Amino acid sequence: MLVPSIAALLSSVASTPAAGVVLADDRSPAGERRLPERRHLHERSMRGGGGTLFQRFFPRTPGEQPEVISSPLEHALPNVDDGGLGKAYTSVPEPPRKWDVCVVGAGLSGGVIAERYATLRKQSVLIVEKRRHIAGNCYDFLDDQTGLRLNLYGPHNFHTKLTNVWDYVKRFGRWAHYYHKKLAWSEGRFVPFPLNTETLNTIYDQHLMGANETAAFLAKIAEPCGPGGCSNSEQQSVASVGRAAYNQFYRGYTLKQWGVDPSQLDALVTGRISVRSDFDNRYFTDRYQSQPRDGYTRWMAGILSDPLIDLVLGVDWFDVQQRLAGRCGKLIFTGPIDHYFADSGLPKLTYRSLRFEKLAVLNIGEHGYYQPGTSVNYPEMAVPFTRSTEYKHYPGQPRSNHTVVVRETSGADGEPYYPVPNPRNHALYAKYKALADKEALKGVHFVGRLANYKYFNMDQAIDNALRIFDGLDRDSAPGRPPVKKRKKEHKGGAHEDALHFD
Ligand code: UDP
């Protein structure tokens, strides 16, 4: 049975007013929905945090001023969205149907495992996904208002140095080369982020020319952590960029993003951010950096296209697990591990969530943009959001006379996006992991970011799923060659306990 057409408005995604910008509140105090507020760019006060929030925007069509409409980012699904596959069910097929493998979750990890079992081992797979669409947090869609492709759960930038992962992802759609770049808006101007020679020259009024001069300057301002190493994110960032730049670029951003001071977070949170002693302004330095030309949803549809894969969307596994008892050869669980063990009596793990606010800028012109690049970070506390993304800058976007900027605000409640890496959660996760290891004896395996409570990058999630498949496959056919252990790689690559999700 296919799903009836229903407008699914994601109510957890609420609007947060930006400093200095009068934005429409989605709901009146009585709770009824109001129309989003319309404003003209020239009427808006763009002041906030002591400076102009956006230094400039780029309307290239003379005449009428563009119009700005603010609303929560949401998407009315016309039906279930299986990326055009046309094969999604909305309830679990009745007995006697059985599957070799059941997978909970149609995101990256679940999708890759399903694809491997179906195409390599010719085994039947059932995927059960709570959301009414595929592709997990990579999910993107064409926005009705502007025709642009937006990510419902925040921007995703694919990058990897792993050739096996790049070879794998290329097989399921066309990719467009793209170097992600970020600017930070600080003290009234845009500067490249992560800090590079240009950033240091701008903020410290220097004239550094090359790697040696920059490295010497950084060594002068940095405060090393000492022989024991850096034990938290404050120490880590002060050791790499010095106290002043830490206060300017890291402290406020991290407080807003995680809700705690950087001194309360593992060093590897800010350790993800490199510091450059040259003019390289790419966010990542990995060899392969690309975006799927037709979007992540279409690309994921390619992964799930094998006829041996059955897909059930909009159904919570926990509601149907009894009905599926004895009908799954093995179970791959990619949801939050603490949800699986909700009855264990253990306390819950904590997650950080995100809310997205959409600013649609209408009639700015086909070549009109709102901000100077795809991504701008806002480290100042006076600005309530952390970053804004202008999707029109991404390759493969449809032509549009409009543009959209999506602003992110973090919070404790809502969809679980980020595991929170601190000592309490590490200790608690170890207890869940012990339960998970016992479950493996019953044929249940925990794969992916939420199930492993790790803040994987997309490439890490894919690499991890490929390796888990290889391991399970080898266990079920002992003659197969062992999986090679990967050496730890430095930032940006895949390593077991890496923290990166982008
Ligand atoms: N961070 C920061 N300032 C920035 C960007 C990042 O302090 O302008 C810190 C923050 O704690 C963040 C971490 O570095 O959580 C990792 O940043 P990244 O951009 O990798 O985070 P993600 O893309 O996963 O949200």
Side-chain angles (χ1 to χ4, degrees):
M1 177 185 62
L2 289 175
V3 191
S5 170
I6 301 173
L9 296 176
L10 299 183
S11 56
S12 62
V13 183
S15 168
T16 304
V21 183
V22 185
L23 298 172
D25 184 358
D26 175 46
R27 290 169 204 286
S28 71
E32 72 270 26
R33 288 183 69 80
R34 282 202 246 128
L35 282 178
E37 182 169 328
R38 288 160 185 270
R39 305 188 70 80
H40 287 281
L41 271 188
H42 63 272
E43 291 173 355
R44 286 173 313 146
S45 158
M46 295 303 284
R47 305 234 135 233
T52 307
L53 268 187
F54 299 100
Q55 214 164 28
R56 57 189 186 271
F57 57 90
F58 304 95
R60 305 246 172 88
T61 37
E64 208 196 342
Q65 282 289 329
E67 188 182 12
V68 181
I69 299 178
S70 160
S71 60
L73 175 68
E74 48 193 29
H75 174 50
L77 286 171
N79 200 318
V80 287
D81 189 350
D82 64 2
L85 289 171
K87 69 171 182 179
Y89 297 93
T90 56
S91 60
V92 171
E94 295 300 324
R97 293 285 316 269
K98 287 183 173 188
W99 296 267
D100 297 311
V101 184
C102 291
V103 177
V104 181
L108 277 180
S109 305
V112 169
I113 292 259
E115 185 276 333
R116 294 283 83 185
Y117 274 110
T119 58
L120 280 189
R121 294 290 151 246
K122 306 292 173 218
Q123 295 196 350
S124 58
V125 183
L126 172 73
I127 301 184
V128 180
E129 165 61 57
K130 185 164 86 170
R131 290 171 174 166
R132 300 197 310 119
H133 60 74
I134 61 166
N137 283 357
C138 305
Y139 177 68
D140 53 21
F141 62 95
L142 292 179
D143 175 41
D144 288 340
Q145 196 176 24
T146 60
L148 293 165
R149 185 177 296 109
L150 311 180
N151 282 100
L152 193 53
Y153 308 98
H156 281 65
N157 302 296
F158 182 82
H159 57 100
T160 190
K161 44 173 62 83
L162 304 174
T163 305
N164 68 311
V165 172
W166 177 234
D167 287 343
Y168 179 80
V169 303
K170 275 190 305 185
R171 293 172 32 204
F172 304 101
R174 301 179 303 155
W175 288 75
H177 178 71
Y178 168 75
Y179 283 134
H180 189 56
K181 292 176 185 161
K182 260 186 198 177
L183 293 166
W185 172 257
S186 176
E187 299 187 343
R189 60 193 165 193
F190 293 111
V191 287
F193 191 87
L195 271 62
N196 67 8
T197 308
E198 185 187 335
T199 320
L200 295 170
N201 283 340
T202 308
I203 62 175
Y204 294 118
D205 197 17
Q206 294 293 306
H207 300 281
L208 307 167
M209 290 299 290
N212 290 345
E213 283 183 25
T214 309
F217 184 79
L218 280 168
K220 236 174 19 198
I221 59 174
E223 296 172 23
C225 283
C230 306
S231 55
N232 60 53
S233 275
E234 176 184 3
Q235 289 178 8
Q236 188 284 330
S237 24
V238 170
S240 53
V241 298
R243 178 72 53 184
Y246 160 75
N247 283 331
Q248 187 172 348
F249 294 101
Y250 291 77
R251 187 160 183 273
Y253 189 101
T254 303
L255 264 166
K256 289 193 285 182
Q257 166 92 4
W258 296 96
V260 292
D261 192 82
S263 59
Q264 307 303 305
L265 289 167
D266 283 4
L268 33 75
V269 173
T270 51
R272 290 154 51 90
I273 307 293
S274 51
V275 180
R276 305 270 161 73
S277 50
D278 54 23
F279 288 88
D280 188 349
N281 62 351
R282 295 171 303 161
Y283 205 59
F284 310 108
T285 53
D286 291 344
R287 176 158 178 205
Y288 309 106
Q289 305 193 35
S290 271
Q291 291 291 88
R293 224 173 240 292
D294 304 309
Y296 283 98
T297 306
R298 286 297 289 273
W299 169 74
M300 273 295 295
I303 292 183
L304 301 175
S305 63
D306 194 294
L308 283 170
I309 300 177
D310 284 324
L311 190 57
V312 178
L313 295 179
V315 171
D316 190 331
W317 163 260
F318 296 106
D319 293 339
V320 293
Q321 60 177 335
Q322 296 301 340
R323 281 179 50 207
L324 284 166
R327 298 168 65 195
C328 298
K330 43 165 87 63
L331 179 68
I332 308 289
F333 185 82
T334 72
I337 191 165
D338 53 348
H339 292 198
Y340 186 90
F341 292 112
D343 297 335
S344 65
L346 287 173
K348 291 261 168 262
L349 290 160
T350 52
Y351 301 88
R352 258 337 244 178
S353 191
L354 296 173
R355 283 172 301 155
F356 301 98
E357 177 208 15
K358 172 184 163 192
L359 284 193
V361 185
L362 303 182
N363 303 313
I364 198 167
E366 194 182 309
H367 304 289
Y369 292 91
Y370 188 77
Q371 63 186 38
T374 318
S375 186
V376 179
N377 280 5
Y378 289 88
E380 290 171 356
M381 287 303 285
V383 180
F385 47 89
T386 49
R387 65 183 169 191
S388 72
T389 303
E390 186 171 19
Y391 285 90
K392 197 175 183 179
H393 290 284
Y394 277 117
Q397 281 285 350
R399 291 181 163 192
S400 173
N401 199 39
H402 317 296
T403 190
V404 170
V405 171
V406 177
R407 294 165 169 176
E408 290 172 40
T409 313
S410 302
D413 303 321
E415 293 275 313
Y417 283 87
Y418 296 96
V420 182
N422 60 26
R424 180 253 183 205
N425 284 334
H426 289 316
L428 187 51
Y429 171 70
K431 295 186 180 160
Y432 280 112
K433 173 80 171 69
L435 296 178
D437 289 344
K438 284 193 200 138
E439 211 69 359
L441 305 173
K442 299 187 224 158
V444 182
H445 306 280
F446 294 80
V447 184
R449 185 173 53 97
L450 296 173
N452 288 281
Y453 201 65
K454 281 192 182 127
Y455 177 15
F456 283 137
N457 263 345
M458 283 188 283
D459 68 326
Q460 292 164 341
I462 293 166
D463 187 53
N464 186 254
L466 291 172
R467 291 178 158 271
I468 287 178
F469 167 78
D470 284 345
L472 293 174
D473 194 35
R474 185 203 46 209
D475 291 346
S476 57
R480 296 208 174 100
V483 186
K484 275 196 221 140
K485 219 171 158 38
R486 186 182 300 291
K487 279 193 290 187
K488 279 213 165 190
E489 300 192 33
H490 55 85
K491 186 188 168 347
H495 48 97
E496 278 296 273
D497 51 0
L499 266 196
H500 211 116
F501 175 65
D502 211 286

